[in-house]
Amino acid sequence: MRVLIADDSSVMRMILERGLRASGLPNLEIVHAADGLQALAQVQQHEALGSGFDLILTDVHMPVMDGPEFLAEARRRGLATGVPVVLITAQDVASSEPATSRVGRLTKPFTLAQMQASLASLLEVPAHG
Amino acid sequence: MADCRTVEIKLLESDPIAPSVAHVDAAVEEVFTYMLRSICLVVEEELEGNRVQASIRMGGEHAAECCVAIAEAAGDRLTDAMLGTEADWDEEMIADAVGELCNMITGGIKRRLRLWCRNCRITLPKVERHTAGAPDPSYAESIHRVYCFGEDRIAVTLGFLAASERWHDASLAGDTL
């Protein structure tokens, strides 16, 4: 499973990676991006190579290009179609992302169990304790 | 030391508009519990020595600034706790950890003050290092608490900005997207 983590905080990227690796997801390949623009470039590059992402975790609040802007631009370019997304924020955000079964939300701070439950409901796999 | 888990729920329910110590305590306790896996206790001491400080501004109908500071020597331990592993972290990583701590506390305060923070935008964290003796941030009005984090201390200040200090910055991230 190829996962993109977009967050301007390297600490949060490490926390998310740790949570992903503890979740039992198979054959994990994790790619990091420090803002929405880098994330967009990663999505574009990987899809051009035929190795698109299976899951995107993105912070909402980032410099240069924030999470919703990244997702909107990706959608506009026909990228990451149908890819499950987890929006991560410390605030309550009324996101412009359509309420679908492919968009999850994770509010900081969160426990490992909360992160895994969010992933499980999005990916329809059992949460690992 | 006062156990800030004795949050006055009635206070929060009866006066949800104005920020209070209870709102700050609740936001900090949430971060301590979920991210730092530590008990949250209020102490009377202030920080000593050099410190690392992160601040986030909130602007909208009201304006405030949330500052979170730790002693420089506590940086490794805070980062260890957030990442669940011990290491010799560099200054950039420690600054990132303090910034993220401030981000989560500010977000927690904002979530608990939906009416007061209506239409409120926040900045990204600004992290600075201050030498011992440097003045603490000062505001006309503020809520200031110091929490025990093991043998270390974490200081949280929610400062309220006067009308003349308010600003409207298009670069702030909005709470509605």
Side-chain angles (χ1 to χ4, degrees):
Chain A
M1 172 170 275
R2 189 171 295 109
V3 183
L4 174 65
I5 297 175
D7 198 306
D8 57 313
S9 165
S10 53
V11 166
M12 189 50 60
R13 290 199 305 270
M14 289 178 67
I15 290 171
L16 291 169
E17 176 162 349
R18 184 165 61 100
L20 284 168
R21 297 202 181 280
S23 64
L25 294 170
N27 303 317
L28 266 180
E29 175 190 334
I30 296 175
V31 174
H32 288 210
D35 58 53
L37 200 58
Q38 290 185 16
L40 189 64
Q42 289 287 355
V43 169
Q44 190 142 20
Q45 178 183 330
H46 278 76
E47 292 203 4
L49 295 172
S51 55
F53 292 102
D54 303 298
L55 173 67
I56 295 172
L57 275 61
T58 178
D59 191 17
V60 168
H61 189 182
M62 293 186 287
V64 183
M65 179 185 279
D66 65 27
E69 288 170 342
F70 148 56
L71 295 172
E73 183 60 25
R75 196 179 308 119
R76 192 185 70 79
R77 299 185 188 191
L79 301 171
T81 305
V83 176
V85 172
V86 179
L87 293 169
I88 302 166
T89 180
Q91 310 175 59
D92 274 336
V93 175
S95 174
S96 59
E97 281 301 301
T100 72
S101 60
R102 305 302 271 175
V103 178
R105 286 173 176 79
L106 191 59
T107 302
K108 295 185 283 191
F110 53 84
T111 63
L112 194 58
Q114 288 170 327
M115 179 182 171
Q116 290 173 344
S118 177
L119 293 175
S121 64
L122 196 60
L123 301 175
E124 296 176 356
V125 295
H128 286 253
Chain B
M1 290 188 286
D3 185 345
C4 64
R5 284 180 293 179
T6 55
V7 171
E8 295 175 13
I9 303 297
K10 287 185 179 178
L11 171 66
L12 288 172
E13 290 176 346
S14 65
D15 188 11
I17 295 177
S20 71
V21 166
H23 293 106
V24 175
D25 282 349
V28 173
E29 185 196 6
E30 183 181 56
V31 175
F32 268 58
T33 302
Y34 288 1
M35 279 294 183
L36 304 182
R37 291 166 294 282
S38 172
I39 292 174
C40 181
L41 297 171
V42 177
V43 297
E44 296 297 325
E45 307 104 76
E46 293 295 337
L47 296 183
E48 294 180 348
N50 299 339
R51 66 180 186 269
V52 182
Q53 178 179 294
S55 57
I56 287 176
R57 279 206 165 189
M58 297 189 276
E61 291 183 25
H62 301 92
E65 184 170 68
C66 182
C67 289
V68 174
I70 65 167
E72 199 170 65
D76 271 334
R77 289 186 285 275
L78 172 68
T79 311
D80 288 345
M82 289 184 76
L83 292 173
T85 184
E86 293 185 8
D88 283 329
W89 306 104
D90 60 25
E91 286 191 359
E92 188 177 338
M93 187 65 92
I94 291 172
D96 193 340
V98 180
E100 191 57 41
L101 185 69
C102 185
N103 184 40
M104 288 189 284
I105 290 172
T106 304
I109 292 170
K110 188 167 177 283
R111 276 185 282 113
R112 288 166 172 80
L113 290 166
R114 287 192 175 91
L115 288 178
W116 197 84
C117 290
R118 185 174 50 199
N119 300 321
C120 176
R121 295 169 175 248
I122 70 171
T123 64
L124 293 166
K126 179 175 74 171
V127 184
E128 300 169 308
R129 291 178 181 274
H130 295 282
T131 55
D136 292 324
S138 64
Y139 309 93
E141 288 182 67
S142 66
I143 295 170
H144 177 72
R145 301 282 261 181
V146 181
Y147 303 89
C148 169
F149 174 58
E151 60 189 55
D152 301 310
R153 304 288 179 259
I154 296 177
V156 178
T157 306
L158 181 65
F160 303 104
L161 304 176
S164 59
E165 294 175 284
R166 294 175 191 175
W167 82 116
H168 298 281
D169 187 339
S171 68
L172 294 178
D175 61 340
T176 57
L177 301 168

